[in-house]
Amino acid sequence: MRFWVGAYASDAGSAEGIGILQAGDADSSWASGPLGMVGTAVAAPGSPSWVAEHPQHDVLYAALESDGTVQAYRRTGETRLVPFGAPVAAGAAVCHVAVAPDASFLVASCWGDGRVVRIALDAAGRPAAPVIAAAATDPYDPAPDGSVVETGARVSGAVVPDLAAAARALREAAGDEFGHLVPAYDDAPETDAESEEAAAGARVSRTHETIFLPGGLVATTDMGLDLVRFWRATATGLRLVQEVALPKGSGPRHGVWHPSGHLYVVTELSREVFVLAPDAETRWRVVSGQPLLGTLDGDTAAELCTSRDASTLYAGVRGSDTIGVLAVRGAGESLQLTALAEAGTHWPRHHVVVNDTLLVAGQLADEIVSLPLDPRTGVPGRVRHRTASPSPTRLLPMR
């Protein structure tokens, strides 16, 4: 089985462009065999950190993060891509692209300036005409009357749980022996840039992902302002319909829609997974959350994906380099952390489940590894295979 590999190029890593990984036999739907890089499909010095496929055509889209553009590529053979049209301007540090199920447009998410950009696709899949959606505002900014949004208050139709208070109470109840295992929600780690912004009193919008939901709804995560925003596509762009605020400083990064009708969102800074669901009036709200207990204060969560049967979630944690294993409980409204397994590589930026195998992109280790999944528990085992791969950031199964 083969995969497109998004990666950081020479400006931020060591890749030449979009790579191709082979896992096991090329004509097999299983990825449990030996790993090997086939080569570079196309040079992309602008750092194609995320790639997505057109649902019908042999066209691949890349977020060229350092260039701030989205570039389409047409597949010309088993291992070759060529540029398809001109690059389309998106925004600073564009880090994610997602294609609408009907292939009429894609959405680019920009970490650097918080932009959400709708880009139209023509009948052949060529992108053009970017339209920037409404900018996010901080739900925790002081209100006009001088008050501020309190944790636990209703924000954009959703209740923000007071996880800081809950964490403090849980640490006190756990005592000295186990209290350190409870994440410090009231003391989220910061990067150097975020520390400077905090010192200046600023919170900055940092959009990170787009998820297409059933019924034409589009969800985006804003890591900087702790928001999950919901949109409807229109002929002229995206129309904002709702915002759900997560706890301040949690940093929602990536999400996955579940067949139960719930949206699961992993938070980069507080290292937990939230469950969102619509109520009877179709207003989305937070219904539960599960911390990735056992992670370290300096860790940051990365990718979230489901098992083949959607009964289990896998959350990558960079720093201590682990994979959180969460069981889906009830009708999907709650999660239970069942294990924290070793990722087998350094800085697990992205991972994907293929049948009985978890493939993990170790960005700072310059490698991709495969881990077997226990058929009973779903817990990843020790590394089965590994291969060198420069600065990998995204693994996308080829059609």
Side-chain angles (χ1 to χ4, degrees):
M1 187 174 183
R2 287 182 172 178
F3 299 77
W4 301 112
V5 180
Y8 279 125
S10 57
D11 59 329
S14 53
E16 295 179 357
I18 300 172
I20 297 177
L21 168 73
Q22 183 162 314
D25 296 331
D27 58 353
S28 172
S29 61
W30 296 81
S32 54
L35 304 178
M37 292 300 292
V38 176
T40 300
V42 65
S47 285
S49 61
W50 191 271
V51 293
E53 279 189 318
H54 191 284
Q56 288 94 38
H57 302 314
D58 280 337
V59 176
L60 196 71
Y61 304 95
L64 300 183
E65 189 164 335
S66 63
D67 288 354
T69 62
V70 173
Q71 175 67 61
Y73 297 95
R74 182 169 52 86
R75 190 172 178 177
T76 59
E78 288 297 316
T79 61
R80 296 300 301 168
L81 297 168
V82 296
F84 186 48
V88 177
V94 54
C95 60
H96 188 272
V97 288
V99 183
D102 67 359
S104 62
F105 66 95
L106 63 79
V107 178
S109 301
C110 303
W111 187 88
D113 53 22
R115 286 182 177 180
V116 175
V117 186
R118 181 189 187 275
I119 299 175
L121 301 177
D122 66 16
R126 188 181 291 104
V131 178
I132 303 170
T137 57
D138 191 347
Y140 294 97
D141 265 352
D145 62 0
S147 64
V148 296
V149 174
E150 298 290 343
T151 302
R154 186 168 295 276
V155 180
S156 299
V159 173
V160 182
D162 189 354
L163 292 185
R168 289 192 293 271
L170 186 56
R171 284 198 296 272
E172 182 177 349
D176 295 339
E177 184 177 359
F178 300 106
H180 67 284
L181 298 177
V182 180
Y185 299 108
D186 47 346
D187 187 23
E190 296 178 331
T191 64
D192 290 342
E194 288 165 342
S195 297
E196 293 175 5
E197 291 166 0
R203 277 166 49 90
V204 180
S205 176
R206 299 206 182 280
T207 305
H208 214 291
E209 190 189 32
T210 299
I211 309 111
F212 284 95
L213 307 179
L217 201 61
V218 182
T220 59
T221 58
D222 192 313
M223 200 189 99
L225 298 183
D226 305 308
L227 286 170
V228 179
R229 300 202 284 168
F230 295 89
W231 312 79
R232 291 282 180 188
T234 70
T236 57
L238 295 175
R239 176 176 59 85
L240 184 65
V241 295
Q242 191 192 350
E243 295 181 341
V244 175
L246 270 58
K248 188 175 182 180
S250 58
R253 177 183 172 93
H254 278 197
V256 61
W257 181 82
H258 191 263
S260 65
H262 296 85
L263 176 64
Y264 302 130
V265 177
V266 65
T267 54
E268 178 168 335
L269 301 180
S270 64
R271 305 173 306 283
E272 54 199 317
V273 181
F274 285 98
V275 182
L276 281 67
D279 60 20
E281 286 74 42
T282 70
R283 297 285 294 175
W284 287 78
R285 60 191 179 90
V286 175
V287 297
S288 68
Q290 172 63 59
L292 298 173
L293 297 172
T295 58
L296 305 177
D297 286 346
D299 287 351
T300 56
E303 179 60 19
L304 184 70
C305 75
T306 67
S307 61
R308 182 176 56 173
D309 63 1
S311 66
T312 306
L313 298 181
Y314 298 95
V317 179
R318 300 168 295 184
S320 58
D321 299 336
T322 55
I323 303 291
V325 183
L326 303 103
V328 177
R329 299 303 191 197
E333 74 281 1
S334 63
L335 303 171
Q336 179 185 0
L337 183 71
T338 59
L340 198 64
E342 293 183 3
T345 186
H346 183 35
W347 212 253
R349 172 65 176 261
H350 189 256
H351 59 267
V352 61
V353 171
V354 183
N355 295 315
D356 65 345
T357 300
L358 183 72
L359 295 174
V360 183
Q363 179 190 336
L364 299 186
D366 293 316
E367 67 177 1
I368 297 168
V369 302
S370 66
L371 311 175
L373 297 175
D374 185 285
R376 183 177 60 85
T377 65
V379 174
R382 295 190 178 277
V383 172
R384 176 185 284 158
H385 301 288
R386 68 177 74 234
T387 186
S389 180
S391 310
T393 56
R394 161 70 160 154
L395 301 173
L396 175 64
M398 286 188 182
R399 284 203 306 270

